[in-house]
Amino acid sequence: MSERAAIVTGASRGIGRALAEALGEQGYGLTLAARKPDTLEATARELRARGFEVEHQAGNMSDEQAIQEVVARHRERFGRLDVLVNNAGVGIGAGAGEHVTKYVDLQLGVNLRAIVLFYRECLQMLRAAGAEHHSALVVNLASIAGKSPQPWLSVYSATKAAVIAYTQAMNKELGGEGIKSVAFCPGFVDTDMTDFVKGQVAPEEMIRPTDIAEGLRFLLALSPAAVVPEIIFQRPDETV
């Protein structure tokens, strides 16, 4: 059994998979969560083949019961939680007069509500880890759009700005218990979520998922005394 353990949502591909791999390479036991069972199963199988200890649970992160099932499965397998990565996210563009209610609700549910619920469901384990080694860590995937909101991505931008604010609040609320929270705010990352813009920005000019993983490695190496509340990853031509 691994000495430390982590939950990663949206873990089947892209940024989530890169973060899960970084944690596995550091010896963390992993519980992976994602919406599509087939791609999640394939990722879990590939990571197990690399020698990682992996549990996985498919589910829609906008659903409260699905979140509870992920956490329960993790608790049953590992019994502890040292790192929580809230990576699952969705972005759906629309103009101000064209918003479809179910898509607004989906973005609010996956991008923001799920983070709030994961903190709630994981808090007992996070507090235990914080009491043990004073470096329990929660990584919340925000976006550069949360720092510089964009037209036609207004709801997505609003959810990511809220993630940044919630992360700041959690540091003030839980920091004294050895629980650190950090918001990752990347610009365009070369994943399938940025396919819509690859006609304007070439994939090779985008941030790599492995760049985001290096940010996590940096955080894992810090002493308990150092808190980094936010990391912005931007390309040379981007501004906040």
Side-chain angles (χ1 to χ4, degrees), residues 138-155:
V138 184
V139 176
N140 298 319
L141 261 293
S143 168
I144 203 167
K147 305 293 293 183
S148 178
Q150 297 301 307
W152 296 284
L153 285 174
S154 55
V155 175

Side-chain angles (χ1 to χ4, degrees), residues 3-8 18-30 80-85 126 129 133-139 178-182 184 210-228 231 233:
E3 292 184 2
R4 295 195 180 186
I7 293 174
V8 183
L19 295 173
E21 289 177 345
L23 288 161
E25 290 165 1
Q26 296 280 334
Y28 283 75
L30 300 170
R80 63 178 298 131
L81 181 64
D82 303 274
V83 176
L84 169 62
V85 179
L126 289 170
H133 53 70
H134 310 293
S135 286
L137 177 65
V138 184
V139 176
I179 302 171
K180 305 176 182 182
S181 295
V182 56
F184 278 7
T210 51
D211 294 328
I212 312 302
E214 287 302 317
L216 176 56
R217 293 180 197 275
F218 159 69
L219 293 170
L220 295 175
L222 295 177
S223 76
V227 177
V228 178
I231 299 179
F233 304 80

Side-chain angles (χ1 to χ4, degrees), residues 1-239:
M1 180 70 68
S2 300
E3 292 184 2
R4 295 195 180 186
I7 293 174
V8 183
T9 70
S12 60
R13 62 189 191 276
I15 294 173
R17 175 165 178 157
L19 295 173
E21 289 177 345
L23 288 161
E25 290 165 1
Q26 296 280 334
Y28 283 75
L30 300 170
T31 295
L32 310 181
R35 182 173 60 87
K36 296 182 179 179
D38 53 347
T39 54
L40 179 61
E41 172 63 37
T43 296
R45 184 170 56 248
E46 291 165 8
L47 295 186
R48 289 190 192 105
R50 293 179 57 183
F52 300 163
E53 189 174 2
V54 179
E55 188 64 69
H56 67 285
Q57 176 71 38
N60 186 336
M61 296 301 100
S62 67
D63 180 74
E64 180 179 14
Q65 183 176 346
I67 290 170
Q68 291 171 334
E69 289 172 353
V70 170
V71 177
R73 190 155 188 172
H74 177 87
R75 184 184 290 109
E76 181 179 354
R77 175 70 179 271
F78 297 106
R80 63 178 298 131
L81 181 64
D82 303 274
V83 176
L84 169 62
V85 179
N86 288 308
N87 170 72
V90 60
I92 302 169
E98 301 168 349
H99 288 298
V100 177
T101 302
K102 69 176 181 179
Y103 294 146
V104 173
D105 291 345
L106 178 62
Q107 292 176 90
L108 291 169
V110 176
N111 297 355
L112 179 59
R113 181 173 175 267
I115 291 177
V116 176
L117 297 185
F118 264 107
Y119 269 90
R120 185 191 71 189
E121 297 299 319
C122 293
L123 192 53
Q124 182 179 15
M125 288 188 290
L126 289 170
R127 279 178 165 150
E132 177 186 332
H133 53 70
H134 310 293
S135 286
L137 177 65
V138 184
V139 176
N140 298 319
L141 261 293
S143 168
I144 203 167
K147 305 293 293 183
S148 178
Q150 297 301 307
W152 296 284
L153 285 174
S154 55
V155 175
Y156 177 79
S157 298
T159 63
K160 295 305 186 178
V163 169
I164 295 168
Y166 191 77
T167 301
Q168 293 172 350
M170 288 300 97
N171 271 322
K172 294 176 180 178
E173 183 174 329
L174 303 175
E177 299 182 67
I179 302 171
K180 305 176 182 182
S181 295
V182 56
F184 278 7
C185 305
F188 289 132
V189 181
D190 183 15
T191 69
D192 56 1
M193 277 194 71
T194 56
D195 285 348
F196 74 98
V197 79
K198 288 177 180 174
Q200 291 77 46
V201 181
E204 59 269 20
E205 296 176 359
M206 292 184 175
I207 298 162
R208 310 288 193 270
T210 51
D211 294 328
I212 312 302
E214 287 302 317
L216 176 56
R217 293 180 197 275
F218 159 69
L219 293 170
L220 295 175
L222 295 177
S223 76
V227 177
V228 178
E230 181 180 297
I231 299 179
I232 298 173
F233 304 80
Q234 64 186 54
R235 297 179 299 111
D237 61 344
E238 287 180 317
T239 57

